[in-house]
């Protein structure tokens, strides 16, 4: 039981809370599911990049999947060893590639022929061999939201199978490239096993055909994307997920890597916000809260559903339809539309669930609202893991450039 009211009183609102015991539980469930093989779980840092969250996973043995050099540096700073860090993403600057090579991370995950050429040039300049994996786009429909589908040719990610093969041959013949991994990631919030299994089978066949060319793939990276329950979704069990993947790898001696983000963090997180007041426009009822789309943008961005709980109201209280909206000057600033809530009063506390992934990391200073504080709850104790941003923080990068 998390003491939402007490924590809201102690740290003020809006506020992010993360249940660190739940984070560990999710990690362990997944790690256990793969125990029949060598595996490395690389936490997708973009889901929640708070240093204390990363460190928590690092302590459990996790690696990290990063999509910018900034994330690579965060992972290193939080104590993730360089040999457990991979660097993905469809666009990497030369400087980012160079720094990743200098830091000698496990793998650079290459997403195009042009990128492979840039990696080779950077590696040659450093007179190093770059360990790479190539992201294959298996052209599988993951049956999820189109904004978070990534494994179709119409998406910008990865290369098709024929291109992948050609790039592996090129890399094999280069003095500066060492093709040791293969990678796919077909989308996010996956709730169906079949597309993952299909993609895995296609990529495993590619690994077998590379073997005949004397290209030895050691790391088989199945990406992230395991779905979580926001509402009433039926979920993939980690065990079934692992079995589906393992069943496609017969005869292959590879380390399995996966890159879960949402699965590890989403349901460990809560966003706490207090009611400012209510208003009605004609028949329409609005509950106006102190958190806004700059703090948690998923409803505005993807029309995402987040369960909203109101603290301290009796079960049988009368409810009516309303929109829960923030103070930001945008009509898109809402957390829920047309939900039923009892009448609220000033300072009533609302808890927005499933707020551990793609929430704090997507927050901004829009409307000159400081980013909110983040608090970890572990073994019944709470601690601050990011302080609330102040006005001074928000003007720090501009104030020295004011002209008379
Ligand atoms: C975003 C992303 C992930 C994590 O996705 P989740 O849905 O949060 O598990 C993993 N790998 C890559 C390459 C990504 O871009």
């Amino acid at each position: 039981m998390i003491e939402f009211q007490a924590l809201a009183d102690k740290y003020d609102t809006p506020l992010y809370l993360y249940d660190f015991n739940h984070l560990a539980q999710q990690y362990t469930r997944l790690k256990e599911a793969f125990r029949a093989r060598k595996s490395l779980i690389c936490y997708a840092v973009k889901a929640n990049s708070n240093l204390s969250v990363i460190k928590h996973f690092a302590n459990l043995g996790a690696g990290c999947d990063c999509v910018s050099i900034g994330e690579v540096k965060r992972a290193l700073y939080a104590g993730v060893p360089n040999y457990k860090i991979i660097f993905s993403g469809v666009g990497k600057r030369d400087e980012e590639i160079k720094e990743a090579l200098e830091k000698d991370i496990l793998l650079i995950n290459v997403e195009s022929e042009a990128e492979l050429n840039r990696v080779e040039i950077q590696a040659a300049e450093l007179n190093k061999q770059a360990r790479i994996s190539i992201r294959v786009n298996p052209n599988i429909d993951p049956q999820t939201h189109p904004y978070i589908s990534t494994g179709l040719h119409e998406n910008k990610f990865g290369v098709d199978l024929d291109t992948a093969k050609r790039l592996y041959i090129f890399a094999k013949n280069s003095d500066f490239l060492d093709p040791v991994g293969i990678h796919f990631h077909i989308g996010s919030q996956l709730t169906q096993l079949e597309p993952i299994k299909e993609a895995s089978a296609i990529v495993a066949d590619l690994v077998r055909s590379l073997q005949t060319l004397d290209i030895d793939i050691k790391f088989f990276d199945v990406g992230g994307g395991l779905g979580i329950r926001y509402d009433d979704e039926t979920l993939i069990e980690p065990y079934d997920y692992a079995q589906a993947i393992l069943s496609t790898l017969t005869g292959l001696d590879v380390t399995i890597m996966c890159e879960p983000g949402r699965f590890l963090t989403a349901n460990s997180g809560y966003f706490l916000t207090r009611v400012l007041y209510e208003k009605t426009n004609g028949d329409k009822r609005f509950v106006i809260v102190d958190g806004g789309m700059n703090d948690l943008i998923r409803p505005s961005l993807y029309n995402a559903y987040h369960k909203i709980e109101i603290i301290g109201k009796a079960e049988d209280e009368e409810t009516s339809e309303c929109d829960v909206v923030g103070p930001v000057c945008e009509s898109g600033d809402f957390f829920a539309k047309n939900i039923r809530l009892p009448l609220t009063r000033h300072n009533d506390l609302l808890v927005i669930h499933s707020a551990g992934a793609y929430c704090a990391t997507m927050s901004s200073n829009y409307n000159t609202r400081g980013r909110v504080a983040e608090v970890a709850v572990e073994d019944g104790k709470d601690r601050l893991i990011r302080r609330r941003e102040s006005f001074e923080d928000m003007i720090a990068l501009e104030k020295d450039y004011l002209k008379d």
Side-chain angles (χ1 to χ4, degrees):
M1 254 311 277
I2 298 182
E3 298 291 338
F4 293 117
Q5 191 69 61
L7 291 167
D9 291 343
K10 177 167 173 184
Y11 294 100
D12 207 358
T13 58
L15 179 72
Y16 277 107
L17 281 184
Y18 307 121
D19 178 346
F20 271 37
N21 295 110
H22 188 260
L23 291 176
Q25 222 177 328
Q26 290 295 91
Y27 174 83
T28 308
R29 280 175 70 199
L30 195 56
K31 184 68 187 169
E32 285 287 301
F34 282 109
R35 92 184 132 203
R37 287 259 190 166
K38 280 174 292 184
S39 69
L40 178 63
I41 295 179
C42 288
Y43 167 54
V45 169
K46 72 176 190 282
N48 187 323
S49 51
N50 185 291
L51 289 173
S52 299
V53 171
I54 299 173
K55 183 172 179 199
H56 195 53
F57 287 126
N59 289 346
L60 295 164
C64 280
D65 175 40
C66 303
V67 292
S68 69
I69 199 69
E71 285 190 354
V72 170
K73 293 202 282 205
R74 256 184 198 271
L76 288 166
Y77 193 89
V80 180
N82 60 348
Y83 57 86
K84 289 185 181 176
I85 294 176
I86 59 180
F87 184 12
S88 307
V90 72
K92 305 181 185 77
R93 296 168 50 87
D94 282 353
E95 292 79 2
E96 293 185 289
I97 294 168
K98 183 158 177 259
E99 206 170 337
L101 291 171
E102 284 168 346
K103 297 199 181 319
D104 204 24
I105 63 168
L106 177 60
L107 284 172
I108 295 180
N109 184 21
V110 172
E111 300 219 16
S112 62
E113 178 163 16
E115 184 188 339
L116 189 64
N117 293 331
R118 296 313 306 173
V119 173
E120 190 189 33
I121 290 167
Q122 295 305 315
E125 272 181 23
L126 295 171
N127 198 24
K128 273 194 152 184
Q129 249 201 342
R131 280 180 303 276
I132 57 140
S133 58
I134 289 170
R135 177 162 177 180
V136 179
N137 183 326
N139 200 25
I140 295 282
D141 183 352
Q143 296 161 25
T144 180
H145 192 291
Y147 280 19
I148 49 180
S149 150
T150 53
L152 282 169
H153 285 167
E154 66 192 64
N155 303 123
K156 68 181 174 184
F157 300 99
V159 298
D160 61 58
L161 289 165
D162 291 339
T163 307
K165 198 159 174 177
R166 195 161 52 73
L167 296 186
Y168 275 111
I169 294 168
F170 174 84
K172 160 96 176 154
N173 292 324
S174 162
D175 288 339
F176 301 106
L177 298 171
D178 186 12
V180 289
I182 199 159
H183 174 238
F184 64 94
H185 171 74
I186 60 171
S188 201
Q189 185 54 10
L190 306 173
T191 53
Q192 316 252 349
L193 213 44
E194 210 42 49
I196 302 169
K197 191 168 173 178
E198 239 177 283
S200 184
I202 290 169
V203 176
D205 278 342
L206 177 58
V207 172
R208 291 187 188 96
S209 86
L210 292 173
Q211 270 182 342
T212 66
L213 299 169
D214 212 20
I215 298 167
D216 189 20
I217 300 297
K218 297 187 182 70
F219 299 101
F220 190 87
D221 183 344
V222 302
L226 259 184
I228 61 111
R229 187 165 287 141
Y230 286 99
D231 190 4
D232 55 3
E233 295 89 343
T234 43
L235 297 185
I236 301 170
E237 280 299 316
Y239 177 81
D240 298 331
Y241 173 72
Q243 288 306 310
I245 291 161
L246 293 175
S247 73
T248 67
L249 296 179
T250 321
L252 294 178
D253 179 23
V254 288
T255 296
I256 297 171
M257 307 204 335
C258 62
E259 311 165 344
R262 193 187 311 269
F263 174 82
L264 292 181
T265 61
N267 277 336
S268 307
Y270 303 88
F271 181 68
L272 273 53
T273 182
R274 281 201 187 97
V275 173
L276 297 173
Y277 23 71
E278 295 209 4
K279 71 183 272 187
T280 48
N281 282 347
D283 288 340
K284 184 84 194 174
R285 173 185 167 211
F286 295 96
V287 175
I288 303 169
V289 297
D290 63 2
M293 65 185 286
N294 70 298
D295 305 312
L296 195 166
I297 203 175
R298 297 190 71 258
S300 311
L301 189 61
Y302 313 113
N303 212 14
Y305 170 83
H306 284 262
K307 181 179 144 191
I308 298 182
E309 179 186 359
I310 177 163
I311 302 297
K313 295 273 171 189
E315 293 264 317
D316 56 357
E317 213 152 321
E318 201 182 321
T319 63
S320 70
E321 212 163 82
C322 64
D323 289 2
V324 178
V325 302
V328 172
C329 300
E330 297 280 345
S331 295
D333 180 26
F334 65 89
F335 293 121
K337 287 195 159 172
N338 303 317
I339 62 163
R340 297 194 72 87
L341 285 182
L343 198 65
T344 64
R345 286 190 318 194
H346 184 63
N347 276 342
D348 275 351
L349 183 63
L350 300 190
V351 177
I352 300 186
H353 287 244
S354 312
Y358 306 108
C359 290
T361 44
M362 284 193 182
S363 63
S364 77
N365 288 132
Y366 189 40
N367 282 207
T368 305
R369 291 166 50 83
R371 285 186 187 74
V372 310
E374 297 178 281
V375 166
V377 180
E378 188 174 15
D379 302 330
K381 295 198 191 74
D382 53 272
R383 67 179 197 273
L384 194 63
I385 57 173
R386 182 186 166 104
R387 70 165 167 81
R388 197 174 292 281
E389 218 167 15
S390 67
F391 175 71
E392 281 301 318
D393 292 330
M394 285 190 279
I395 62 167
L397 305 181
E398 300 158 38
K399 67 178 172 37
D400 294 343
Y401 305 102
L402 265 183
K403 284 217 261 182
D404 289 334

